[in-house]
Amino acid sequence: MALVRPRSRRLKNAGAEAAQFRARAFVAMLFIAAALLGLGGWYFRLQVLQHDDFVTRSEANRIKLQPIVPGRGLIYDRKGRILADNVPAWRLDVTPSEAGDPAKWLPGLSQRVAFAPEDLEHFEQARHASRGFKPITLKMRVSDEEAARFAVDRWRYPGIELVSYLNRRYPYGELTAHVIGYVGRVDVADAKNLGPGFDALTHIGKTGLERSYEELLRGRIGYEKVETNVEGRPLRTVGRVPAQPGTDLRLSIDIDLQQAMVTAFGDMDGAAVAVDPRTGDVLAMVSLPSYDANLFVNGISHTAYKALTTNPSRPLFNRPLLGGGPPGSTIKPLFGLAGLDSGLRTPSTAVFSTGEFHIPGQRRGYRDAHGGAGWTDLKKSIAQSVNFYYYKLAYDMGVEKFDLYMQKFGFGQKSGIDMLGESIGIVPSPEWKAKRSKEPWYAGETVIAGIGQGYWVATVLQLVRGTAAIANGGALNPLHVVMATREGYNSSWRATPHPPGARITTSEEHLRAVQEGMIATVHGGGTAANIARGAQFLMAGKTGTAQKVGRQAGRNVDPHALPYNLRHQALFIAYAPADNPQIAIAVSVEHGGFGASSAAPIARKVFDAWLLGKMPAPDPDVKRSPQGGAPLDYVPLTEVAPTVAKPAAAPATPGAVPQVDDEEPAPASPDPLPATP
């Protein structure tokens, strides 16, 4: 049995243990104090230093900012009739982060609300391009029945809201489409251009005045603070910053005159602009065929859009603003004035028209549509549209001086109209040609420029502006459509300031000579004598015809015998009453044949409507396609002629002359096609 050794006992050192305990307790107390100090500092930071930030975040959990989109400014005509207004409507907005996967809720929702393919396509594009917490419009213009069905089952679709808004409407549809334009849904490009702060906007001006005056018309977005519960449902409104409605516009357009102008065209396509020559107010402006602007407000269907874009008459093309072509003989009054002001001619200077003008040293010449007119002064040259007078004047003046005068008269520049995208056209010049051709400038090109042919491109806006300047005594006033604005319904209208125009001449004698020639065109047995019958007022005008095909085998071609799309452009400029001008007009009829027979009667009907209140009667036989355009029995052979400057007949050899302007069918002649060396 082993012996057990006794365990030795260690004596405790009470003092040491007490000291150790005190040290540990002190460290623990330091740790606790540090922790309490840190916690206190953290609380101080949260409660004091970051108080405002966390209060804002806390409020955001129960307060939502809902944007208030202002009512878009209204557009009125000169007599106060509404041309563009806003009507109450419903739309469906989806917040992707709350709604979840569309594949789960879209089938059921489609049973309550009908969606077009365009709605779903637009939603998918916007969903992939935007942040998930921002609402995206799924469908505009939800019907009352659809809204009621959705409201019953609203609880099934979190993140999908039925939102009320004001929808744009154009009461006159096709009648004002090219002037007013239209608004369309904001797309990705629009959102990028607008920048932050405009996320609530669903529509933006796309064309016409809606685009040109977008910033004024849309107003300023407001918002309201809405208190919500834990489920996000609104309880009450706790704050509000009101939206600022858009600015109202009052136009110089008269909707009755606009209707009269459209009726006067019948089934013909073209453009016309009427202005007050004293002020530059645009009284009416049409482009035919037109289209219904309401189709584009909430997204046009593919079928309707294809019908518009494939129509050979191009109803979407704004002819007054973007179109143009050779002005033909309508340039003669202004060019005649340039001849007087330049000192090359006097009102009584006469040239002997043999019916064919020859550049010195050339055998082949430039024929006159009417044959030899004998001794011809300025008045006769305008009234009878004697080309010979202007062939010689252009040759004597030279292209450099010709170009300067045409620019002085407003060609090759904007008319000043308050609409975006206006074309400036083309004034023929060696510099312009050198940029596009390696061929030199030929003297023959100067000659035909004198009768408004060749490389010319003039818009009806430029033509009516120049006509107004002749009518009002020589002031080339900028054109404008908006005549007044107001900030809200209770505000008074404020006139829009317009700068005075430059003068086109300093000689009243020269201007009077031109005016007498234009009066003789209508009332002196001139080329527009047909519209003077039964007139109760004096008119001054000038016809013009811009050819689209040349002569064949040395013979003239009757435009009415040509296929519809190859007929000449018919032009007419005029003002009335000639002794106290109140209205000036420029008319361009596509495929019209001759200015005297197609364009001039339109101007007469517009004058009667404005000066006498006599509205033209609609032709019951006029038939247009559902989307506007050429007559229903018209089968196009080729594309509608583009608006790019191009001679009426392409030169076959260097120096070949494009076909010249004819006011009436010229007699058959074996003369060769005129040319330059």
Side-chain angles (χ1 to χ4, degrees):
M1 180 176 181
L3 295 176
V4 178
R5 297 180 62 185
R7 180 180 300 174
S8 61
R9 298 179 61 185
R10 295 182 59 188
L11 297 177
K12 294 182 177 181
N13 188 338
E17 289 181 355
Q20 186 181 31
F21 175 79
R22 285 193 298 270
R24 291 177 178 176
F26 180 73
V27 172
M29 290 298 294
L30 287 178
F31 178 77
I32 293 173
L36 290 174
L37 184 62
L39 185 60
W42 183 257
Y43 283 146
F44 179 81
R45 178 173 175 268
L46 294 177
Q47 297 292 335
V48 179
L49 300 181
Q50 295 184 326
H51 175 269
D52 293 339
D53 183 41
F54 282 100
V55 165
T56 302
R57 294 189 185 186
S58 177
E59 287 293 315
N61 290 331
R62 70 182 187 92
I63 303 295
K64 288 187 176 181
L65 294 180
Q66 293 188 352
I68 304 174
V69 179
R72 195 170 178 85
L74 305 182
I75 302 178
Y76 300 83
D77 84 335
R78 69 186 297 116
K79 294 179 180 177
R81 290 164 291 193
I82 292 182
L83 307 181
D85 65 352
N86 308 307
V87 295
W90 296 96
R91 72 172 187 263
L92 272 182
D93 280 1
V94 178
T95 304
S97 61
E98 299 178 13
D101 186 1
K104 296 181 179 179
W105 51 261
L106 187 57
L109 186 61
S110 298
Q111 297 178 5
R112 295 161 177 81
V113 180
F115 298 107
E118 291 81 6
D119 295 329
L120 302 180
E121 180 181 345
H122 185 274
F123 173 73
E124 284 299 318
Q125 292 176 353
R127 188 168 69 93
H128 288 95
S130 64
R131 299 177 181 179
F133 59 85
K134 292 185 178 180
I136 301 173
T137 299
L138 175 58
K139 180 179 181 178
M140 305 293 297
R141 292 308 298 268
V142 176
S143 67
D144 292 339
E145 294 78 6
E146 292 173 331
R149 287 197 298 267
F150 174 79
V152 172
D153 295 327
R154 162 69 184 81
W155 61 275
R156 297 178 182 271
Y157 304 102
I160 303 179
E161 298 290 344
L162 193 63
V163 181
S164 62
Y165 72 106
L166 293 175
N167 189 62
R168 199 63 157 173
R169 183 184 65 169
Y170 304 104
Y172 292 93
E174 296 185 9
L175 196 58
T176 58
H178 288 290
V179 179
I180 305 299
Y182 59 83
V183 298
R185 296 173 65 174
V186 175
D187 55 27
V188 176
D190 293 329
K192 183 177 180 181
N193 292 332
L194 287 170
F198 297 95
D199 296 335
L201 285 181
T202 59
H203 291 76
I204 190 174
K206 299 287 188 177
T207 63
L209 294 175
E210 292 279 24
R211 178 189 174 199
S212 302
Y213 285 85
E214 168 63 25
E215 292 187 8
L216 287 179
L217 287 169
R218 71 178 174 225
R220 293 183 180 178
I221 299 174
Y223 65 88
E224 60 182 6
K225 296 179 180 180
V226 179
E227 185 179 5
T228 60
N229 59 18
V230 293
E231 296 178 349
R233 294 186 178 276
L235 298 177
R236 64 191 178 97
T237 300
V238 297
R240 181 184 180 90
V241 175
Q244 180 179 327
T247 301
D248 294 339
L249 306 180
R250 187 166 188 171
L251 309 186
S252 56
I253 296 289
D254 184 280
I255 199 62
D256 290 332
L257 191 66
Q258 189 88 352
Q259 180 64 69
M261 188 175 283
V262 171
T263 302
F265 265 88
D267 63 353
M268 296 183 291
D269 297 344
V273 180
V275 305
D276 185 334
R278 299 164 295 186
T279 61
D281 288 350
V282 176
L283 305 176
M285 184 170 79
V286 302
S287 176
L288 295 172
S290 187
Y291 62 95
D292 186 357
N294 293 291
L295 293 172
F296 288 87
V297 174
N298 294 312
I300 188 171
S301 68
H302 291 304
T303 302
Y305 187 69
K306 183 178 180 181
L308 291 172
T309 55
T310 57
N311 188 322
S313 291
R314 301 177 296 171
L316 295 178
F317 186 64
N318 192 325
R319 288 162 167 80
L321 200 67
L322 306 174
S329 290
T330 58
I331 201 67
K332 291 176 180 177
L334 287 168
F335 185 34
L337 179 61
L340 300 180
D341 285 349
S342 66
L344 294 173
R345 300 288 188 273
T346 67
S348 59
T349 299
V351 298
F352 190 81
S353 169
T354 62
E356 186 170 304
F357 173 77
H358 290 264
I359 294 175
Q362 294 188 21
R363 181 176 59 86
R364 303 174 68 182
Y366 300 81
R367 292 178 299 170
D368 212 311
H370 311 283
W375 289 106
T376 302
D377 59 8
L378 176 67
K379 179 178 178 180
K380 180 179 178 180
S381 73
I382 295 175
Q384 301 297 329
S385 198
V386 181
N387 286 345
F388 185 95
Y389 184 95
Y390 298 95
Y391 289 148
K392 181 170 176 54
L393 177 59
Y395 181 78
D396 292 344
M397 181 177 290
V399 67
E400 289 81 9
K401 188 176 291 186
F402 173 86
D403 185 62
L404 290 176
Y405 273 104
M406 293 302 104
Q407 292 184 25
K408 181 180 180 180
F409 298 152
F411 296 100
Q413 57 188 263
K414 294 184 178 181
S415 68
I417 194 168
D418 45 345
M419 297 176 68
L420 298 177
E422 181 186 2
S423 170
I424 64 171
I426 299 171
V427 177
S429 68
E431 293 77 18
W432 181 88
K433 184 180 179 182
K435 295 177 181 179
R436 294 158 179 83
S437 173
K438 295 181 179 180
E439 293 186 3
W441 183 265
Y442 297 105
E445 292 172 317
T446 302
V447 170
I448 62 171
I451 62 166
Q453 291 287 354
Y455 299 109
W456 262 106
V457 173
T459 68
V460 290
L461 290 172
Q462 293 168 339
L463 289 173
V464 76
R465 188 184 181 206
T467 305
I470 294 175
N472 66 26
L476 192 66
N477 293 321
L479 304 184
H480 53 268
V481 180
V482 176
M483 61 187 302
T485 61
R486 71 177 179 187
E487 306 293 337
Y489 184 79
N490 294 324
S491 302
S492 57
W493 289 101
R494 185 172 62 253
T496 304
H498 301 289
R503 296 197 59 79
I504 61 173
T505 183
T506 57
S507 173
E508 294 184 5
E509 179 189 4
H510 294 170
L511 192 61
R512 183 58 187 168
V514 172
Q515 293 170 343
E516 290 176 353
M518 295 180 69
I519 293 173
T521 299
V522 181
H523 299 279
T527 56
N530 61 311
I531 68 168
R533 299 186 186 96
Q536 300 178 35
F537 47 85
L538 201 64
M539 292 173 282
K542 182 69 194 79
T543 57
T545 302
Q547 290 187 227
K548 301 184 72 173
V549 294
R551 296 184 176 90
Q552 297 177 355
R555 303 175 68 87
N556 288 317
V557 178
D558 180 359
H560 296 293
L562 292 168
Y564 179 83
N565 60 309
L566 295 181
R567 295 178 187 175
H568 306 336
Q569 302 289 100
L571 301 160
F572 188 65
I573 59 172
Y575 61 89
D579 51 353
N580 181 28
Q582 300 174 35
I583 182 173
I585 193 172
V587 182
S588 172
V589 180
E590 295 179 3
H591 326 299
F594 298 113
S597 59
S598 298
I602 294 175
R604 168 64 191 277
K605 292 177 182 178
V606 173
F607 287 164
D608 285 347
W610 185 248
L611 300 174
L612 306 177
K614 180 182 177 182
M615 297 293 289
D619 187 347
D621 296 328
V622 170
K623 295 180 181 180
R624 283 188 178 270
S625 63
Q627 297 298 337
L632 291 172
D633 58 352
Y634 163 52
V635 179
L637 300 181
T638 63
E639 285 267 344
V640 175
T643 58
V644 177
K646 183 180 180 180
T653 59
V657 178
Q659 183 55 51
V660 299
D661 172 87
D662 290 333
E663 286 297 328
E664 298 175 358
S669 171
D671 295 342
L673 181 69
T676 58

